Amino acid sequence: MKTPDSSSRSNADSCAGRLKALADETRLAVVRHLMSGPCHVGEIQTALGIEQSLLSHHLRNLRDAGIVEATRDGKAVLYQLTPTMKRRRDGIVDLGCCRITFDPES
Amino acid sequence: MKTPDSSSRSNADSCAGRLKALADETRLAVVRHLMSGPCHVGEIQTALGIEQSLLSHHLRNLRDAGIVEATRDGKAVLYQLTPTMKRRRDGIVDLGCCRITFDPES
DNA sequence: CGTATAAATGAACGAAAATTCATATTTGGC
DNA sequence: GCCAAATATGAATTTTCGTTCATTTATACG
């Protein structure tokens, strides 16, 4: 069994590495979606209109970066922003190395 | 002659695109270096200990993303953060779509 | 002018990341 | 136990990105 929580593989340690996780249209959309609260995968999927498997890969990417975390909820899985980023409010995301304040509209 | 200032090609328009420009060890170092003031290419080069051509490519990337801009100064070229990001202070970088507050130490 | 210095460019290549597809895992209900 | 729903995983492929190298442009100076 690997490291049970997050940050197992990939580049979650450097600031550039964590930014890389956000530097993607899809993943950024996921994060911004989760900023309004926890969400099931299915909801995210229909919200973004993206293929199931692709979304799953992106979610793993975000998990590996320590940006989101998943918990089972019945046969669904609930995603939310990591406790590290709990300091978020009003669209502020805390990456540990830097804080990103998103403007209201994209 | 292409568009003279910045944002000619590449992904300078989307937030993810601009984040992508920052999501690189080298380019992030350049930006953080420029946050303390305008700088010649040569200085940046010796500061980062990186090959000339490689730095130049990264600088073009940052230029295309609208994050830095260049002005000639004799045979050297002076780089600085874009006016868009002028609202920066104390390590705050304004990407237009979001603001990034860097922690003092990396 | 010729030359040296500073920086930019373009092509080529390898490495990493994104996407797709097929398959596996987990869970709840019958 | 078996089936369907929800999500994850892995391999294969394509796309994008970073790096190197060789060459070019721009400027100053003698």
Side-chain angles (χ1 to χ4, degrees):
Chain A
M1 184 183 283
K2 332 278 169 59
T3 11
D5 39 57
S6 64
S7 66
S8 22
R9 65 188 85 156
S10 100
N11 39 16
D13 22 278
S14 72
C15 188
R18 268 171 264 185
L19 283 175
K20 207 165 296 183
L22 288 183
D24 175 272
E25 225 64 80
T26 304
R27 291 193 296 267
L28 192 54
V30 169
V31 169
R32 300 191 77 157
H33 195 87
L34 288 181
M35 289 198 312
S36 43
C39 209
H40 290 153
V41 174
E43 306 178 54
I44 305 177
Q45 185 179 346
T46 46
L48 302 193
I50 177 187
E51 194 220 341
Q52 185 271 316
S53 169
L54 181 55
L55 174 57
S56 202
H57 281 299
H58 281 301
L59 285 172
R60 176 155 62 95
N61 189 319
L62 287 170
R63 256 185 289 130
D64 289 349
I67 294 180
V68 305
E69 66 181 19
T71 49
R72 261 238 170 238
D73 178 24
K75 22 181 167 180
V77 174
L78 190 70
Y79 272 83
Q80 64 190 111
L81 295 179
T82 287
T84 318
M85 320 188 28
K86 276 259 179 58
R87 208 184 342 169
R88 78 189 141 86
R89 64 171 196 287
D90 299 338
I92 296 184
V93 155
D94 190 343
L95 287 188
C97 48
C98 64
R99 267 142 287 135
I100 304 187
T101 310
F102 288 100
D103 295 350
E105 200 45 38
S106 177
Chain B
M1 186 183 282
K2 331 279 169 58
T3 12
D5 38 59
S6 65
S7 67
S8 21
R9 65 186 85 155
S10 99
N11 39 16
D13 21 280
S14 71
C15 189
R18 268 170 265 184
L19 283 175
K20 207 165 294 182
L22 290 183
D24 175 90
E25 224 65 78
T26 304
R27 290 192 296 267
L28 192 55
V30 170
V31 168
R32 299 191 80 158
H33 194 88
L34 287 181
M35 288 198 313
S36 43
C39 209
H40 288 154
V41 174
E43 307 179 55
I44 304 178
Q45 185 179 347
T46 46
L48 301 195
I50 177 186
E51 194 220 341
Q52 185 271 318
S53 169
L54 180 55
L55 175 57
S56 202
H57 281 301
H58 281 301
L59 286 172
R60 176 155 62 95
N61 190 319
L62 287 170
R63 255 186 289 130
D64 288 350
I67 294 181
V68 305
E69 64 182 20
T71 49
R72 252 227 182 247
D73 177 23
K75 19 181 168 178
V77 173
L78 190 70
Y79 272 83
Q80 63 189 111
L81 295 179
T82 289
T84 318
M85 321 190 25
K86 278 257 180 58
R87 208 185 341 172
R88 79 190 140 85
R89 64 170 197 287
D90 299 338
I92 297 184
V93 154
D94 190 341
L95 288 188
C97 47
C98 65
R99 267 141 287 133
I100 305 187
T101 310
F102 288 101
D103 294 350
E105 201 46 37
S106 177

